[in-house]
Amino acid sequence: MKMPSLIYYADADGDDYGDADVDSTSCMELTGYVLDSTDCDDTNSAIYPGATEVCNFLDDDCDGYVDDNLVLCGCIWMQIMTIMVMQG
């Protein structure tokens, strides 16, 4: 009996969410690949569907929105304070 082939997606950052643009078909589980293809940034393990959105000008939770549900002025204020501290 032949095993069914499945499409696996490369998970370069190890967060269990794969890159839809890098896939391989196999009847056996592949190391470094997963069945989920919904990672929007496979270079950063902190960014994946369902991750907590933080104020960093990135789409941490892969919903298509950057820093969604965060108070914009608070986010901008944090960036201004960071710049001020860095400038000394």
Side-chain angles (χ1 to χ4, degrees), residues 45-84:
S45 63
I47 297 177
Y48 57 88
T52 300
E53 190 71 50
V54 295
C55 186
N56 58 4
F57 298 103
L58 299 172
D59 178 14
D60 301 291
D61 59 4
C62 295
D63 67 354
Y65 299 100
V66 173
D67 296 338
D68 53 309
N69 297 324
L70 298 176
V71 177
L72 181 59
C73 64
C75 189
I76 292 171
W77 177 251
M78 183 185 83
Q79 293 300 318
I80 291 169
M81 292 304 293
T82 300
I83 291 168
M84 290 174 64

